[in-house]
Each structure stands twice: as C-alpha cells, then as structure tokens.
Amino acid sequence: MLPYTLIEKKQSGQALNKDEIHFLVDGYVKKTIPEYQMAAFLMAVYFKGMEAEEINAYIDVILNSGKRVSFNDSTTYYADKHSTGGVGDKISLILAPLAMASGKVKVPMISGRGLGHSGGTLDKLESIPGFSTQMSLKDFQKQTDRLGCALIGQTKDLCPADKMLYALRDVTATVRSIPLICGSILSKKIAEGIKGLVLDVKTGNGAFISKYEETKHLAEQLKYFGEAYGLSVRPVISDMNQPLGDKIGNWLEVEESLDVLKGGGPAAVRELSLVLTGQMLAMADPKRAEGDIRKELEKLLDSGAAYDAFLRVSKEQGADIRYLEKTELYDRSKYIIEVKSASEGTISYIDTYQLGLDAIVLGAGRRSLNDTIDPKAGLVVHKHLGDKVEKGEPLITLHSDDKKAVELLSKEIGDRFHVSEDNFTMKGDLYEIL
Ligand code: URA
C-alpha cells in the first residue's frame, strides 16, 4: 500500500477499507508514515468525511495502538465524562472529584491537551505545580480503585495514536471533523474500561461544531459508535456561545474550579457541573430520583467534600497542594491589563472562538507542535451575554508575560463583544439532555 494513493483515494471521496486505515494510522505511530502525509490524510478526511465502517476502523486502530484498562470489580460503576471542547470549559476538574466524593462511581479519566482554540484538561492539571498526568496503566487502575479517581493523559500505553494524531490535528486545522472527533474521544474512553460515559457536546460559536443540527449529529454519532463498543453513552448538548464561566487559561481555570468545588464560583459553571455529574450518577443508579442526586451533589460542593476529594487526588499525583489551598502563592503574569467597553448597552454577541485564539496568543496554548505554554496566561471575562454594560466598564482582563501580545490584543479584544442598544435575552436553555 502507498500512503500517496490512500490520500488520493480519500481526497476523491472514496471510502478506505479497514486494512487501509490501519496501515495509515499504524504507520504514523511507528513513524514509517511521515507527519506531512498524515496531515494530508487528515485534511482529506476533514473535507470528505468518513463512512460508518471507516469510523469504526479508525476508532479501532487508535484504541488498539495501546492497551486497554479492564477493571475486575463488576459491582462498581466506572464512569467518565468528556467534552467535545470549548473555551473556559473546566468542568472535568470539578466533575471528577465531585463524582468521586459521592462514592457512587469511580472515575478513571484520560484527557487531552489544548486543541485548536479550546483548552485541554491535561494542560490545566499540569499548571498545578508538581501534578503529574503520566502513570503506568497498573497505577492508573490501582489509584482509581483505591481513591475513586485518577486523572491522566494518553500515554505510550494508552491510545498513543490519539496522542500523536491529536497534536497533529491541533496545528493543522483538522479538529472540526465529526469522524476525527469520534475516533479521538471514543478511543480514549473505551480504553479506560468504563461502563458509562457522559458527553458534553458543545454547540455555538466557541465549539468545534458550531451549528446546532451538526452538533446533534455529532452527539448521535458519538452515542452510536460508543454503544457499538458496549459503553452506555449519555450526550448532553451544551451552549458554547460564550466562554463557560469567567476565566480562560490554565491556572486561571484551576482557580475558578476550586471556587466551584468550594460551593462558590460562577453559576453557569456550577450548574453544568451539577447537570453532567448528575447524569453520571443517574446512569449508575437509574432508579434513583434525579432530584435526590442533585441535592446530594449540591451538598458535596457546599460542604467542601468535593474540594477535599480534589486535594486528595492532586496530592496523590504529586501536586504541591499548598498552591491549591492558597492560590495567592502562585505567580501572576507580568502584565494584567483591563480592557473597557467603548459603548453602553447590552452584550448581545461574544466571539468565543476568537477569545479562545486570543488566549493562545497570550501564551495559554500552543501555536506549533513543540510550543510551550505559560500556565499563568489567559483572560478573565467580566461581561456575559445579556449583561448590561456602561461605557468605560471593564469587559475583559488580559493576563500575560508577553508585552507585545498584550499591546496588540488590548487594542482589538473589545471588538469580540457586541454591545447592542436593544434588550437582549438569552435564547433557550444552557443544555439539553439527549
Ligand atoms: N476532545 C478530544 O479528545 N478529541 C477531539 O477530537 C475533540 C475534543
């Protein structure tokens, strides 16, 4: 088989068979197929899509590029949640310890790094001094069983193909593709050995798949292919027409998660955390009333039990938890600049995608494969959709060590917010459970 011919085949819209997909992905992992040919293949998939058989083969080859976890205890409900990616989406940092604190499920979570304009759970966790997201499969299993939760990234053992493809898609603008998203998310989740998967499928201008009908299709595809592998899958479509919560950027999002874990934080972040964790517990115990589950989860946040669980997992994974207990110990960016509104009215539109890119420019994400990130960098949003704003009131604050980036962005970032003179009301709910 020749990679060139397979790229051409996909480029012309034909379906590849299982052997061909395995040849390409395995070859990429073994480095017999170079990055430029894999990038060309991904771009061809981006434009031409994949048929069901191809998606199955693509999930299969990524999954089998590494090992699979399998838990022996059939009485425990192992579950996880994954998001299709958004801006300011820090829910995993809250959901995992919250679910763990309930004692009703165990969460073996494999997450990814920042992708395109969206942040990644791994980068957020690694912004905590000492936190290690790498461990052997055995330790991953042991910690999940002992503590109720473990938080790691793809490794050389677990979905190494996704680790490589993910990084390549990140820098080649090939993230917005339903088959590639299905392969990436489902391979990681199937490898975890879980029974139940809650999916936060983002829709809106800050999501990878922005149009509602396409998002719904993605949610259905994730459910269909996940169930084909024996997972119970519950997709929740949630709104990404504005950043989730106030903070965007790795450490800034850890700080906001700590607030929510202690019973405070922005209402939207708390609400979505409760909804998604609630769905997870409902999957584990379908007979239980959803109202009871919600009350229990609220109590776990308000009592600090979820926060304690996060400290326990962080400590176990090497973190210096003094920074979590006293966030003021953490370094701050050299430049912290507030940008004010040039007019008065109501916030009627926020260019969430662009804010995600702006955070990268400030240092919070990668621009190329080997770029390093500045964990302190990011944005704090002061106004959300439907908020009233006066002329001269702060819209957003930039955090960065990069003087040039701050100078450039402070001139244009105000334009990401549309201020209208009319009243504006948010349409629809924050989420929809499918
Ligand atoms: N999250 C993932 O893990 N993979 C994707 O492709 C998109 C979001």
Side-chain angles (χ1 to χ4, degrees), residues 159-191:
C159 295
D162 182 55
K163 186 175 170 130
M164 295 173 69
L165 290 165
Y166 196 89
L168 188 59
R169 286 168 62 215
D170 186 25
V171 291
T172 54
T174 49
V175 178
R176 294 170 188 275
S177 151
I178 289 181
L180 298 181
I181 295 176
C182 283
S184 168
I185 292 182
L186 291 173
S187 59
K188 285 194 283 283
K189 301 292 122 173
I190 298 160

Side-chain angles (χ1 to χ4, degrees), residues 175 205 274 393:
V175 178
N205 70 49
L274 288 168
E393 238 193 305

Side-chain angles (χ1 to χ4, degrees), residues 21 46 113 193 201 204 250 261 290 294 299 304 356 380 406:
I21 290 182
Y46 176 91
R113 300 197 176 280
V201 190
N250 299 295
L261 284 166
E290 295 212 358
R294 179 159 180 123
K299 208 162 146 197
V380 180
V406 170

Side-chain angles (χ1 to χ4, degrees), residues 193-242:
I194 52 173
K195 293 181 184 161
L197 175 61
V198 177
L199 286 169
D200 182 3
V201 190
K202 302 286 189 196
T203 192
N205 70 49
F208 286 119
I209 308 294
S210 54
K211 291 197 188 92
Y212 176 78
E213 283 313 321
E214 284 176 39
T215 309
K216 196 158 177 188
H217 178 59
L218 170 60
E220 286 161 357
Q221 293 262 293
L222 285 163
K223 188 171 164 69
Y224 174 81
F225 289 107
E227 287 180 351
Y229 277 89
L231 290 184
S232 297
V233 182
R234 187 157 305 174
V236 176
I237 296 184
S238 79
D239 183 69
M240 192 29 76
N241 279 302
Q242 57 181 328

Side-chain angles (χ1 to χ4, degrees), residues 401-417:
D401 285 350
D402 183 339
K403 190 171 178 205
K404 262 200 184 145
V406 170
E407 277 171 2
L408 175 85
L409 276 184
S410 52
K411 288 193 199 102
E412 42 185 76
I413 203 162
D415 298 344
R416 318 292 184 238
F417 296 77

